[in-house]
Amino acid sequence: MRPLRWLGAVCALTIAACAAAAARTVEEQFELPVQVTDSYGKAVARPITVTVFRDDARDAPQPLIVMNHGRAVEAADRAALGRARMADAARWFVREGFVVAVPTRVGYGVTGGDDVEDSGACGNKRYASGFAAAAQQTAAVLAAMQRRPEVATDRAIVLGQSFGGMTAVAVAAQAPPGVAAAINFAGGAGGNPKTRPGRPCDASQLERLAGAYGASARIPMLWLYTENDRYFGPDHPKAWFEAFHKSGGVGEFVQFPPTGDDGHALFTAFPQVWHPAVADFLRRQGFDMKDAP
C-alpha cells in the first residue's frame, strides 16, 4: 500500500502543479465612453482605453485596483504615452489576488483628445479642475469594472502615481461606492525637474486643495514619497499631507530615503522599496497579501 500512497501523493502534487501552471495573467483592453469638464468649463465626451489585468484561473469575485498614470510635463510626451499599462506593478497586484484596471485618460496616448487636465500657466494654476476631470474618469472606470462578474463590488482600491496619485486623493474625497482604500504615490502637480527641481508651481494652492480633500475623505489612505523627488522636493509633500490630515483626512504618510537619481520614479522603477509598505497597509485593511513581503 505504501507505493500506492506515494503514487497518489505524486499524482496529487502533479495535478496541483498543473493547475498552478494553468493560471495566467490575462491582459485585455476595452473602450469606455466618458464625459468630463475641463478647466474652462467645456464638456468633453470621448471613449478612453482601459487596460485590464486579471488571473483567469480565479473564479470568485476579486478586489479591484484602478491604477492612474501621471502627467508628463511636455505635450509631446503625453501624446507619446501609448496605452497606459504599468504592467510590472499590475502583475504584482494580480498575483496578490486583485483585478487591475489602468485607464489611459483623455488627452494622453491612444485615447487622445483635448487636454482636459490642463491647469494653466505656472503663475495662474487651477489645479482643482484638472484633478476633478481625472477623478470623473476614475469613477467611470470603477463603475464599469464593478459591473463585471469577476470583480467584487465592495473592495476597490484607487491608486495613482504623480498626477494620478493626487487624483486618488480627489477620488477618496468623493467616497465613491465600494472603494475601501486609496494609495497615493508621489502625488502632486506643477513640478518640472528640469526648470524648477523640487519647486512645483503654486505649492500653497496644492496644500489648500489637499486640505479641502481631507475635509471629506474618510477612507484609509497611504501616501508614499521619497526625499529626492525632483518634482516636488522633500518638504512640500509633508505640508500637503499635514493639511489633508488636519482637516480630517484619514491616512498615513511614508517618506523613503533618496531612491535612485529621482525618487519621483518610485512606483515604476523601485518596486522592491514600496512592496513591503503597501503589503502591510493592505493587510491592515483586510486584504489577503499571501505572497507579498
Side-chain angles (χ1 to χ4, degrees):
M1 293 299 293
R2 286 183 181 176
L4 290 175
R5 285 199 298 270
W6 177 83
L7 180 60
V10 170
C11 291
L13 289 172
T14 302
I15 292 170
C18 289
R24 62 192 180 97
T25 299
V26 174
E27 179 179 347
E28 59 190 44
Q29 56 184 293
F30 68 95
E31 301 296 305
L32 177 66
V34 300
Q35 182 165 323
V36 299
T37 304
D38 69 10
S39 299
Y40 307 95
K42 177 184 176 182
V44 176
R46 190 175 185 87
I48 62 174
T49 298
V50 182
T51 300
V52 177
F53 296 83
R54 60 183 178 83
D55 182 344
D56 70 346
R58 295 179 184 268
D59 295 327
Q62 301 299 305
L64 170 70
I65 290 181
V66 176
M67 188 183 298
N68 267 308
H69 60 78
R71 176 181 174 84
V73 174
E74 302 295 336
D77 293 330
R78 296 193 292 273
L81 175 65
R83 178 166 57 90
R85 296 173 68 241
M86 296 181 278
D88 289 344
R91 291 189 178 109
W92 183 74
F93 282 114
V94 169
R95 290 195 296 272
E96 292 299 327
F98 292 88
V99 175
V100 179
V102 186
T104 304
R105 300 191 304 275
V106 176
Y108 299 85
V110 295
T111 292
D114 295 349
D115 185 9
V116 297
E117 296 171 8
D118 176 29
S119 57
C122 190
N124 186 30
K125 285 293 187 183
R126 297 180 298 276
Y127 287 125
S129 56
F131 292 127
Q136 283 179 288
Q137 297 172 74
T138 305
V141 175
L142 279 165
M145 291 299 298
Q146 287 169 336
R147 291 193 290 267
R148 293 171 60 134
E150 72 270 26
V151 172
T153 60
D154 60 346
R155 298 295 285 159
I157 305 291
V158 175
L159 178 154
Q161 195 271 335
S162 192
F163 194 96
M166 196 57 76
T167 296
V169 184
V171 173
Q174 296 174 359
V179 176
I183 304 176
N184 161 20
F185 280 89
N192 190 324
K194 294 180 180 179
T195 62
R196 300 173 56 89
R199 296 182 297 115
C201 300
D202 202 349
S204 61
Q205 182 185 158
L206 286 165
E207 184 175 342
R208 294 191 297 273
L209 186 57
Y213 291 149
S216 58
R218 293 297 177 269
I219 63 173
M221 286 206 71
L222 179 64
W223 293 40
L224 299 170
Y225 291 81
T226 58
E227 292 178 353
N228 66 327
D229 187 315
R230 287 183 56 79
Y231 281 73
F232 306 134
D235 298 325
H236 291 305
K238 293 178 183 176
W240 300 339
F241 178 78
E242 185 65 18
F244 172 82
H245 191 254
K246 277 187 174 180
S247 61
V250 178
E252 305 168 28
F253 182 91
V254 177
Q255 189 173 63
F256 295 104
T259 307
D261 294 330
D262 181 1
H264 193 71
L266 172 72
F267 181 61
T268 53
F270 304 100
Q272 72 279 5
V273 174
W274 60 261
H275 276 180
V278 169
D280 175 67
F281 171 75
L282 291 177
R283 284 192 188 101
R284 287 185 282 114
Q285 312 315 315
F287 292 93
D288 186 7
M289 306 290 289
K290 287 183 178 179
D291 299 326

